Amino acid sequence: IVYGGPGGTGHFPVCIFTPPGGVRPKGIFLMIVNRGRAVIDEAESKPLPYWPAQAIVGRGYVAAAFSNGDVAPDDKADGFKSGVFPIFDPAGQPRAPDAWAAVAAWAWGASRVIDCFEAEPGLKELPIAVVGHSRGGKTALWCGAQDSRVALTISNDSGSTGAALARTKRGETIAEINRAFPHWFSGNYKNYNHREADLPVDQHLLVAAIAPRLVYVAAAFDNLRADPLAQFRAGVEAGPAYRLLGRPDLGATEMPGADVALHTGAIGYHAHTGLHRLDAADWKLFMDFADRHLRTAAVRTP
């Protein structure tokens, strides 16, 4: 994919696998890969449970992926000097406190991949699910909230500044995430270090911004640093927006046990046994949810 702006042009690769035999796919799963391009390049020779392209295609879906680092570096030492930033940021000026950062840039990249789908006769008009794990899960939520072409947003173990409520969250705090990853979010966000109670919004509003389209919040039952309960509560608290727009909510107010999936509403949830990961069992549940809901998802709009 090639793009251009005031500072020149850039590009990044996308990998797309389609079901064989000329069968019309049921939809597209677009994975925001945050583990390096090798996960994508070796999807056939050394497949990983993190992105099981063959299993996705086997279920009748298109499997697409790009590496976040090919859009913007996941490197706090880079100082926004590489990737999309020098192409679109005003040259020779200090960055504004509300300027986009890495997570927003990666979400922008996902939307450019969707532009690509819409230009392909065999892919356009297929319902699209955007998927991310950890920092990729934060990115998927931001993409889904901004791009109404995303029919299903899947956030796996996104934790702080992803799906987890900041005000009640255990484990990683806003100050900790800003200190470890100062390049992920705008400068203004650092004003809320140690001040979660003063936030004018919380993460359930990010989930609610996706309504009435489908959203799936997945977590790790034993990863208290990312806090599965805070992620579940965001799904619960996003429910009024879905009900207002005539869509069924999460369907529960009490967090279920490990590996119990909630798939009845437009908001999905499960927390797998164990710690921070994305594997084949998670993907099976994502595709089960898509099989159940994706064809009846809210109509895509330009």
Side-chain angles (χ1 to χ4, degrees):
I1 292 178
V2 178
Y3 56 89
T9 61
H11 61 87
F12 64 96
V14 179
C15 179
I16 303 173
F17 292 99
T18 59
V23 177
R24 180 174 172 80
K26 295 186 286 186
I28 303 171
F29 278 92
L30 171 60
M31 179 66 180
I32 302 166
V33 172
N34 60 294
R35 291 188 176 178
R37 197 188 299 172
V39 171
I40 303 170
D41 294 343
E42 299 173 356
E44 293 179 283
S45 60
K46 299 178 182 178
L48 296 176
Y50 171 85
W51 186 54
Q54 295 179 28
I56 296 168
V57 170
R59 287 282 292 261
Y61 293 94
V62 173
F66 73 98
S67 174
N68 65 340
D70 287 331
V71 177
D74 191 1
D75 180 6
K76 63 183 178 182
D78 181 75
F80 306 105
K81 296 181 177 64
S82 304
V84 298
F85 299 117
I87 293 175
F88 293 107
D89 286 359
Q93 299 181 28
R95 302 197 93 232
D98 62 351
W100 69 336
V103 168
W106 301 333
W108 175 90
S111 288
R112 303 292 70 77
V113 179
I114 295 173
D115 293 344
C116 170
F117 296 155
E118 294 197 324
E120 291 290 332
L123 301 179
K124 65 180 181 180
E125 299 180 358
L126 292 177
I128 298 166
V130 172
V131 189
H133 166 67
S134 192
R135 65 200 67 185
K138 307 177 203 298
T139 305
L141 286 169
W142 190 235
C143 177
Q146 294 195 102
D147 195 329
S148 62
R149 299 173 297 177
V150 179
L152 168 59
T153 300
I154 301 175
S155 169
N156 189 78
D157 218 11
S158 57
S160 174
T161 323
L165 294 174
R167 294 189 181 99
T168 61
K169 188 183 177 302
R170 297 168 293 176
E172 188 175 38
T173 65
I174 291 174
E176 289 174 325
I177 202 169
N178 277 330
R179 181 170 59 251
F181 308 103
H183 58 295
W184 281 3
F185 312 111
S186 70
N188 278 338
Y189 193 46
K190 296 173 180 62
N191 295 332
Y192 293 94
N193 288 352
H194 309 293
R195 295 179 56 217
E196 281 83 353
D198 295 328
L199 282 167
V201 297
D202 210 335
Q203 298 308 114
H204 65 295
L205 297 179
L206 176 59
V207 178
I210 297 169
R213 291 167 290 121
L214 300 167
V215 63
Y216 197 119
V217 176
F221 197 79
D222 301 309
N223 184 7
L224 298 185
R225 186 161 178 78
D227 198 341
L229 177 58
Q231 293 177 79
F232 172 77
R233 292 304 310 173
V236 173
E237 299 302 332
Y242 280 81
R243 295 193 298 271
L244 178 68
L245 296 173
R247 300 285 282 166
D249 60 16
L250 186 60
T253 57
E254 296 295 328
M255 181 178 165
D259 303 314
V260 177
L262 301 177
H263 281 182
T264 60
I267 306 171
Y269 176 85
H270 78 266
H272 62 235
T273 301
L275 298 173
H276 197 67
R277 70 174 189 276
L278 172 60
D279 61 22
D282 298 305
W283 276 102
K284 179 184 180 302
L285 290 174
F286 299 157
M287 290 187 283
D288 288 348
F289 185 82
D291 284 349
R292 182 169 182 167
H293 294 289
L294 196 54
R295 290 187 180 185
T296 59
V299 176
R300 292 165 59 193
T301 58

